[in-house]
């Protein structure tokens, strides 16, 4: 099983026993080593820790540079789980408006680094968490309707399940042979079939709203 994109001690995360050591972009927990990088509008960072804060227990995205973390490898037929919370620390710089981020998947290997590349996004946004965002002409059939391709096409979730600001939320994404299911805090909030992009890389977005991720686990289906 392919384990966490960020941590070398999944068991210790539950107990809160990991250190706060800053890591490079290549991490391992003994099962697999996953390499990733960071990107902003004008620069690619092979060492993601040069831009964002990566520790044994948490990924913390904040600062004045909008961008993302991207896995260097692509994945097919997987289940991805992770937890996120909005960083409410008053000392951390933040943007204005609704808090906004996202978890992208099936980002094609051929997709260039831009804000934002082609792929499917699990929207993480106040009042819209769980929506599909289909980027750069990716298509998906949702509730019997295939949405027309476009630069950024939103498909609303079926229910609101996000917890109050500052609390941890759990995302689960199942992606298999073009079928995509998105769960938030244990509830199925969106699903689709016949995705035009069935495999690809995984991306964590930073859109100016400080956000923390932890317990990132990827396993094959």
């Amino acid at each position: 099983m392919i384990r966490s994109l960020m941590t070398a001690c999944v068991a210790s995360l539950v107990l809160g026993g990991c250190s706060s050591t800053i890591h490079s972009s290549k991490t391992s927990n003994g099962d697999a080593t996953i390499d990733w990088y960071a990107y902003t509008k004008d620069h690619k960072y092979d060492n993601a820790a040069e831009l964002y804060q990566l520790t044994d227990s948490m990924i913390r995205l904040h600062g004045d540079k909008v961008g993302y973390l991207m896995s260097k490898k692509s994945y097919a037929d997987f289940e991805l789980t992770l937890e996120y919370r909005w960083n409410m620390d008053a000392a951390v710089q933040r943007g204005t408006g609704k808090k906004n981020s996202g978890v992208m998947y099936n980002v094609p290997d051929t997709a260039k680094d831009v804000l934002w590349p082609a792929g499917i996004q699990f929207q993480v946004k106040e009042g819209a968490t769980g929506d599909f965002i289909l980027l750069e002409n990716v298509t998906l059939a949702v509730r019997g309707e295939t949405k027309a391709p476009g630069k950024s096409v939103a498909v609303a979730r079926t229910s609101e399940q996000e917890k109050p600001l500052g609390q941890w939320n759990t995302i689960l994404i199942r992606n298999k042979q073009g079928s995509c299911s998105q769960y938030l805090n244990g509830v199925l909030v969106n699903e689709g079939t016949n995705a035009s992009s069935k495999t690809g890389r995984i991306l964590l977005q930073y859109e100016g709203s400080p956000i923390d991720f932890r317990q990132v686990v990827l396993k094959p289906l």
Side-chain angles (χ1 to χ4, degrees), residues 105-195:
Y105 54 103
N106 293 355
V107 178
D109 287 332
T110 55
K112 295 182 179 180
D113 280 310
V114 294
L115 301 178
W116 306 97
I120 300 172
Q121 179 188 347
F122 187 123
Q123 174 78 287
V124 178
K125 184 178 181 179
E126 285 184 279
T129 299
D131 289 2
F132 281 121
I133 306 293
L134 309 175
L135 292 159
E136 297 296 338
N137 299 312
V138 169
T139 58
L140 184 69
V142 183
R143 295 183 283 279
E145 178 185 357
T146 299
K147 301 298 178 181
K151 185 172 181 62
S152 180
V153 177
V155 187
R157 69 219 173 281
T158 56
S159 65
E160 178 60 55
Q161 299 296 329
E162 189 173 30
K163 294 180 181 179
L165 295 179
Q167 294 188 23
W168 287 102
N169 296 268
T170 301
I171 283 175
L172 187 152
I173 297 168
R174 288 197 181 100
N175 177 69
K176 187 170 185 178
Q177 298 179 2
S179 293
C180 309
S181 301
Q182 299 189 161
Y183 294 78
L184 181 62
N185 295 319
V187 178
L188 178 65
V189 295
N190 232 334
E191 60 183 336
T193 58
N194 299 320

Side-chain angles (χ1 to χ4, degrees), residues 73-90:
K73 293 182 180 179
S74 289
Y75 303 94
D77 299 342
F78 61 81
E79 180 178 279
L80 172 67
T81 60
L82 57 84
E83 296 179 5
Y84 79 89
R85 71 176 179 189
W86 299 111
N87 183 339
M88 304 302 292
D89 187 345

Side-chain angles (χ1 to χ4, degrees), residues 2-33:
I2 300 174
R3 282 289 189 179
S4 172
L5 295 179
M6 71 163 186
T7 182
C9 47
V10 172
S12 294
L13 288 178
V14 179
L15 301 175
C18 289
S19 72
S20 59
T21 304
I22 298 297
H23 291 289
S24 69
S25 59
K26 184 175 287 187
T27 56
S28 173
N29 75 339
D31 294 321
T33 297

